[in-house]
Every structure is written in C-alpha cells, then in structure tokens.
Amino acid sequence: MWRVCGVKWAVFWPQQLPHDILGPLGAFTKYLVREYHSFMYTGWWLAWAVHLCEALVALKVCSDKGIDSPSTRLLWFVQTLLFGFASLGLLLKYKAGGRAKRH
C-alpha cells in the first residue's frame, strides 16, 4: 500500500517528499519528478484506469461463476480495484460449486 501512497505523493506533492532521507530511492524519485513528471502523472491515472477495468471484469467473472451475493461481489470489486491482476487471477482460478472437503 505504501507504493501507491508514495507514488501519489511523488506525483501530486513532490515538494513535500523527503528526498534526502530516502537515500538512493529519494535521489531516483527526485530525478523522475524533475525529468518525467508529466509521464508519471499520466501513468498514475492510467494505472487507476486499468485497475478500474480489471475490477469491472471481476464483476463479470463473478456473474459467470455464479457469485450472486452483492456483498461478495462488492468485496471482489474493491479488492481487484486495489490489487489489480493479483486479485483477478485468484477469482479466475476459483471453481464454483462449494469448497473442497478436508480430510
């Protein structure tokens, strides 16, 4: 989660980012902000757009797999919105029809 907050901080409030205490990462971030700020800004919004599309696909996959509970579908949507393909991959692997029995 820090990655998302850190990138957001670097994109929208770079002057407040404590570059000096971050060591080599701070120097690299300062360079990116100085040289590629518009690219980072566009990339940040593009990443959120991709995550939104993945979350919408998750809703469709829920329907296809017979997951009808609104709360469960909402949780899959939110989880996929935040974590992207890592979450969607779990949903795609899910086999409908109940849990496996444990011995």
Side-chain angles (χ1 to χ4, degrees), residues 77-98:
F77 178 84
V78 170
Q79 178 176 312
T80 305
L81 182 66
L82 294 176
F83 299 109
F85 192 74
S87 173
L88 185 59
L90 293 174
L91 181 59
L92 291 171
K93 289 180 187 178
Y94 171 74
K95 295 194 182 353

Side-chain angles (χ1 to χ4, degrees), residues 1-53:
M1 197 59 160
W2 184 91
R3 177 180 58 91
V4 173
C5 294
V7 172
K8 182 178 180 181
W9 198 358
V11 169
F12 292 103
W13 307 286
Q15 68 281 4
Q16 294 179 358
L17 192 65
H19 298 284
D20 299 336
I21 64 171
L22 295 175
L25 181 61
F28 181 63
T29 305
K30 192 174 189 176
Y31 167 75
L32 288 176
V33 167
R34 187 177 59 242
E35 300 295 328
Y36 299 102
H37 186 264
S38 62
F39 179 73
M40 289 177 62
Y41 181 82
T42 304
W44 191 86
W45 284 109
L46 182 63
W48 274 109
V50 168
H51 280 270
L52 179 61
C53 290

